[in-house]
C-alpha cells in the first residue's frame, strides 16, 4: 500500500547530521507562533505536542481534540492492539509497556495537522493567490494532494517537483517546525520520508481487517448549488480577473448582456452562423440536466468537483442544423479574451451551452452569461463566456488536446518534456478514476458496535465507474461494491456502512474502478478510532 512520493532534501539530510551531533537539533515545535503567514493565529499547544494526560505508568496519552459539533479527533491511536496495519506484532510483551506512538515516535507532534487543523484554510490565508480548496463536502485537504499538484503541472506550474523546496523554505522562514515534525527517518539509508505519507505504516495500534464487511450503496442524483461549485479559474486571462473582481464586489448580473451576447459557429460546418443567446434558445430549445464538472488537475481525493443542475442548449441540435463536414475531428470553444478549449469528436455524445444553474442565471464566476458544459470532459472544456465555436478539421488534430483527466507526463512518466506535448497518455493518469471521502477527518472517533456510514465520491471523466473498493488491511484484500448502470455524466456518491466490533484503530482505504479496468492511482485512506465510550 506504500505511496509513491518520498521527499528527500538537503534540509532533511542536514537534519540527520544535526541529530548525530546533538539530539537537540530536532525537538518539539516552537510554541506560540501564529499560523503560517500570520493570518490564523493559534496556540500550537492546542494542536500539537503531548496531550498533557499521562497513563498509569506516567507516559503521555494520545491527544484528543473536540471539533465544533462534538466530533472528536485522535490522530495517534491507542495501543490496546500492539501490532501494525500489515499485521506484524512485537515478539514479546514487557511488564511495563512503553507507548511506542507517543513516547518513541512522538506522533502527536508530527504531520501537517499537528500545526494546521485545516490545510485548506491555511493555504487560503497565504498571500499567494491559490485555488480555493475549502469545500462544502468536508473533504480534508492532505499534503499528498499538495505533492500531486506541485509535482505534475506542465502548462501552469513553472517549477515541477518543487514541493520539497517550497515547503522547506516556508517553514524555515516561519521558524515554527523542526525537521522531525514533518519527516520520519529510515534505517535503510533511503533518506527521509514525509510522516503524513507513511504514518499508517509507522504507527502501532492499527488492527488490520481482512476482507472488510460493510453495507454498500450508491447514487448519482446528489447535486450542489452554484455557490458551492468550485471556481476553476487559474487567472490566466483577462476575463478571469474581470469575473473575480465582479464576484468580489457583488456586482449584479447585467441582463442586457444576456440579451445581446452572440455566439458564432464556423469552421468545418455546412453553414456558418451567428446567433444571440435568446435566438439560440428560441430556435433550438433548452433542457435541464444534472452534470458533473471535474477539474482536470483535481488531486486524488480532492474537492475540485461538483454536480449541478444546468439549463442549456444541446450542441447536437445546433450541429445537426448547421451540418458538420466529413472528416471533422472536434471543436474549439473561444472566449472574447482568447481562452480556447478543445473537445474531440472521438467520444463526444453531447455538450451544452448552459446559461442557468438551479434555474437561475449563471453567476459571474461561472462565466455569465453562458458557459460550455461537456459531460465526460475535464473542467477546461467548460469554457466560460463562450463567444465562438469552431469545428476543426483533420489537419488541425495535432494541435488539439482534450483535457479529460490529469495525465502523467511524457518520457519517464514523471518529467515534462516539450517533445511530449500534447502528452503521452500511455503513461496513465494520476486522477482517473478518482475517489474521495466526504465529512471525515484523520483520526476521527466513531462508536464501537454501531454502524458508521462512510461516504464519498467517485468519478472517471470519460470513463464510467464500475465499482468502488474498500480495504482495511493496507490493500492486501479488497471488498468490491459494484455500481451497475451508472453514467459518466454524473459523479457517483457512494456509502459504506462499517461496524467496528471492538475498540481500536483502523485505516479505511478506498479506490474506484473504471470500465477499462484501471483503478485509482493513489487510493485514499483515513485512520479512525473506534471507542465504546
Amino acid at each position: 500500500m506504500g505511496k509513491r512520493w518520498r521527499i528527500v532534501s538537503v534540509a532533511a539530510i542536514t537534519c540527520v547530521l544535526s541529530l548525530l551531533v546533538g539530539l537537540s537539533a530536532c525537538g518539539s515545535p516552537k510554541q506560540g507562533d501564529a499560523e503560517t503567514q500570520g493570518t490564523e493565529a493559534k496556540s500550537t499547544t492546542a494542536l500539537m505536542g503531548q496531550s498533557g494526560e499521562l497513563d498509569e505508568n506516567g507516559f503521555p496519552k494520545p491527544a484528543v481534540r473536540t471539533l465544533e459539533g462534538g466530533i472528536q479527533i485522535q490522530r495517534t491511536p491507542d495501543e490496546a492492539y500492539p501490532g501494525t496495519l500489515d499485521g506484524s506484532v512485537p515478539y514479546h510483551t514487557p511488564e511495563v509497556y512503553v507507548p511506542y506512538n507517543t513516547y518513541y515516535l512522538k506522533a502527536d507532534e508530527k504531520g501537517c495537522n499537528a500545526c494546521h487543523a485545516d490545510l485548506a484554510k491555511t493555504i487560503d490565508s497565504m498571500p499567494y493567490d491559490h485555488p480555493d480548496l475549502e469545500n462544502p463536502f468536508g473533504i480534508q485537504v492532505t499534503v499528498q494532494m499538495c505533492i500531486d499538484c506541485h509535482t505534475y503541472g506542465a502548462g501552469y506550474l513553472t517549477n515541477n517537483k518543487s514541493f520539497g523546496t517550497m515547503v522547506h523554505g516556508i517553514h524555515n522562514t516561519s521558524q515554527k517546525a523542526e525537521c522531525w515534525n514533518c519527516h520520519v527517518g529510515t534505517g535503510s539509508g533511503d533518506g527521509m520520508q514525509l510522516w503524513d505519507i507513511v504514518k499508517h505504516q509507522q504507527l502501532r495500534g492499527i488492527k488490520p481487517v481482512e476482507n472488510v464487511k460493510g453495507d454498500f450503496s450508491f447514487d448519482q442524483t446528489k447535486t450542489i448549488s452554484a455557490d458551492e461549485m468550485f471556481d476553476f479559474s487559474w487567472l490566466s486571462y483577462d476575463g478571469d480577473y474581470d469575473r473575480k473582481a465582479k464576484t468580489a464586489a457583488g456586482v449584479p448580473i447585467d441582463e442586457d448582456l444576456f440579451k445581446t451576447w452572440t455566439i458564432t459557429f464556423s469552421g468545418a460546418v455546412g453553414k456558418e452562423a451567428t446567433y444571440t443567446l435568446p435566438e439560440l434558445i428560441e430556435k433550438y430549445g433548452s433542457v435541464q440536466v444534472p452534470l458533473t464538472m471535474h477539474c482536470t488537475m483535481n488531486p486524488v481525493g480532492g474537492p475540485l468537483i461538483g454536480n449541478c443542475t444546468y439549463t442549456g442548449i444541446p450542441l447536437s441540435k445546433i450541429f445537426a442544423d448547421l451540418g458538420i463536414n466529413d472528416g471533422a475531428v472536434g471543436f474549439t470553444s473561444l472566449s472574447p479574451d482568447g481562452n480556447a478549449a478543445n473537445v474531440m469528436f472521438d467520444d463526444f455524445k453531447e455538450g451544452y451551452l448552459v446559461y442557468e444553474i438551479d434555474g437561475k442565471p449563471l453567476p459571474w464566476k461561472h462565466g455569465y452569461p453562458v458557459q460550455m458544459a461537456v459531460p465526460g470532459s475535464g473542467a477546461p472544456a467548460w469554457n466560460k463566456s463562450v463567444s465562438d465555436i469552431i469545428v476543426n478539421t483533420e489537419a488541425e488534430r495535432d494541435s488539439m488536446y482534450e483535457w479529460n483527466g490529469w495525465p502523467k507526463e511524457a518520457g519517464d512518466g514523471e518529467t515534462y518534456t516539450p517533445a511530449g506535448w500534447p502528452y503521452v497518455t500511455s503513461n496513465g493518469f494520476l486522477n482517473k478514476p478518482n475517489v474521495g471521502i466526504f465529512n471525515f477527518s484523520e483520526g476521527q472517533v466513531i462508536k464501537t458496535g454501531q454502524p458508521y456510514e462512510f461516504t464519498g465520491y467517485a468519478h472517471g471523466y470519460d470513463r464510467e465507474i464500475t465499482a468502488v473498493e474498500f480495504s482495511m488491511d493496507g490493500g492486501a484484500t479488497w471488498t468490491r461494491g459494484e455500481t451497475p448502470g451508472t453514467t459518466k455524466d454524473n459523479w457517483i456518491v457512494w456509502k459504506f456502512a462499517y461496524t467496528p466490533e471492538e475498540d481500536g484503530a483502523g485505516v479505511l482505504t478506498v479506490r474506484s474502478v473504471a470500465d477499462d479496468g484501471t483503478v485509482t492511482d493513489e487510493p485514499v485512506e483515513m485512520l479512525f478510532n473506534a471507542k465504546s465510550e
Side-chain angles (χ1 to χ4, degrees):
M1 187 186 68
K3 295 296 183 67
R4 297 174 295 118
W5 307 114
R6 302 292 183 264
I7 305 301
V8 182
S9 70
V10 172
I13 295 171
T14 302
C15 180
V16 176
L17 295 175
S18 299
L19 181 67
L20 295 176
V21 175
L23 292 176
S24 62
C26 285
S28 298
K30 296 177 175 62
Q31 302 296 312
D33 290 325
E35 188 76 299
T36 301
Q37 302 300 332
T39 60
E40 191 184 349
K42 294 184 178 75
S43 170
T44 56
T45 56
L47 294 176
M48 66 190 311
Q50 306 298 347
S51 65
E53 296 186 28
L54 304 179
D55 65 16
E56 65 275 12
N57 296 310
F59 294 109
K61 290 183 177 181
V64 178
R65 281 191 292 127
T66 301
L67 304 182
E68 187 176 342
I71 294 174
Q72 289 190 317
I73 304 298
Q74 182 180 316
R75 297 170 54 248
T76 298
D78 297 319
E79 296 178 40
Y81 171 74
T84 59
L85 184 58
D86 65 4
S88 61
V89 294
Y91 65 87
H92 71 285
T93 303
E95 291 184 14
V96 176
Y97 185 77
V98 180
Y100 185 77
N101 294 336
T102 56
Y103 182 79
Y104 292 107
L105 298 184
K106 294 182 173 58
D108 280 331
E109 298 179 8
K110 292 183 179 292
C112 294
N113 292 130
C115 289
H116 310 289
D118 187 331
L119 277 183
K121 289 183 178 179
T122 300
I123 294 168
D124 194 45
S125 73
M126 298 179 71
Y128 189 84
D129 202 353
H130 190 283
D132 185 6
L133 298 178
E134 297 185 61
N135 61 88
F137 313 121
I139 291 176
Q140 185 175 32
V141 173
T142 66
V143 71
Q144 181 66 60
M145 298 177 189
C146 301
I147 294 170
D148 288 345
C149 283
H150 290 274
T151 297
Y152 296 119
Y156 87 95
L157 188 66
T158 304
N159 303 105
N160 281 21
K161 299 186 181 296
S162 62
F163 178 78
T165 302
M166 177 184 65
V167 168
H168 281 109
I170 291 172
H171 286 82
N172 183 57
T173 301
S174 69
Q175 295 184 337
K176 182 173 182 178
E178 302 287 1
C179 301
W180 293 109
N181 301 132
C182 301
H183 292 282
V184 58
T186 64
S188 62
D190 293 333
M192 303 286 281
Q193 298 172 324
L194 270 177
W195 168 259
D196 277 335
I197 305 304
V198 300
K199 59 189 174 185
H200 295 152
Q201 288 76 51
Q202 298 290 325
L203 291 165
R204 290 185 183 176
I206 302 174
K207 188 171 185 178
V209 177
E210 184 177 348
N211 297 313
V212 60
K213 293 179 174 59
D215 293 328
F216 174 77
S217 62
F218 71 95
D219 70 70
Q220 292 194 286
T221 61
K222 177 180 173 59
T223 58
I224 63 175
S225 68
D227 289 339
E228 293 174 316
M229 177 64 84
F230 74 93
D231 176 14
F232 62 87
S233 170
W234 292 91
L235 300 179
S236 301
Y237 293 86
D238 291 344
D240 296 331
Y241 289 93
D242 180 60
R243 286 184 290 267
K244 181 175 181 178
K246 288 177 177 175
T247 300
V251 175
I253 61 171
D254 182 354
E255 294 183 4
D256 288 336
L257 184 64
F258 183 92
K259 296 174 184 177
T260 59
W261 189 269
T262 61
I263 301 177
T264 297
F265 299 84
S266 61
V269 293
K271 58 180 179 180
E272 297 188 354
T274 299
Y275 297 104
T276 65
L277 265 177
E279 288 171 341
L280 281 170
I281 296 169
E282 182 179 1
K283 185 175 180 64
Y284 298 108
S286 59
V287 295
Q288 195 173 70
V289 58
L291 300 171
T292 292
M293 183 171 69
H294 194 171
C295 182
T296 297
M297 290 182 172
N298 187 31
V300 177
L304 301 180
I305 187 172
N307 196 55
C308 288
T309 301
Y310 293 91
T311 303
I313 308 153
L315 279 180
S316 60
K317 288 189 175 183
I318 303 173
F319 287 160
D321 182 44
L322 299 180
I324 302 297
N325 294 351
D326 292 342
V329 298
F331 66 89
T332 300
S333 65
L334 294 173
S335 299
D337 59 7
N339 191 21
N342 299 316
V343 175
M344 309 305 293
F345 283 150
D346 297 340
D347 196 34
F348 176 78
K349 292 183 179 178
E350 187 60 277
Y352 304 89
L353 291 168
V354 299
Y355 55 91
E356 290 181 348
I357 304 180
D358 297 329
K360 300 177 182 178
L362 290 177
W364 288 114
K365 71 175 185 176
H366 291 311
Y368 179 83
V370 62
Q371 177 185 23
M372 179 66 66
V374 185
S377 189
W382 295 53
N383 206 356
K384 300 177 181 180
S385 306
V386 176
S387 60
D388 290 84
I389 295 178
I390 304 169
V391 178
N392 306 108
T393 65
E394 178 65 38
E396 298 169 295
R397 180 187 290 272
D398 289 344
S399 64
M400 299 175 66
Y401 183 80
E402 180 178 358
W403 295 93
N404 51 16
W406 190 347
K408 295 179 184 176
E409 291 156 9
D412 60 7
E414 295 184 353
T415 305
Y416 173 74
T417 58
W421 179 258
Y423 288 114
V424 180
T425 54
S426 59
N427 288 320
F429 290 83
L430 179 68
N431 64 350
K432 184 166 71 171
N434 208 343
V435 68
I437 298 177
F438 292 159
N439 299 312
F440 202 84
S441 297
E442 174 76 3
Q444 189 164 322
V445 176
I446 65 176
K447 289 285 189 180
T448 302
Q450 297 182 15
Y452 183 87
E453 191 173 73
F454 292 91
T455 185
Y457 74 83
H459 190 247
Y461 294 94
D462 56 335
R463 299 174 183 171
E464 293 178 2
I465 299 296
T466 57
V468 182
E469 296 185 332
F470 305 88
S471 177
M472 277 187 55
D473 56 7
T477 62
W478 292 93
T479 298
R480 187 178 178 93
E482 302 281 353
T483 58
T486 57
T487 171
K488 64 187 179 184
D489 291 4
N490 308 109
W491 64 1
I492 288 172
V493 175
W494 55 263
K495 297 179 180 180
F496 185 72
Y498 169 71
T499 302
E501 297 179 355
E502 57 187 3
D503 286 5
V507 172
L508 181 70
T509 306
V510 188
R511 68 185 185 185
S512 60
V513 184
D515 54 6
D516 64 350
T518 54
V519 298
T520 306
D521 194 63
E522 294 170 358
V524 175
E525 54 189 51
M526 281 286 189
L527 170 75
F528 65 85
N529 291 282
K531 295 191 176 186
S532 302
E533 298 179 358

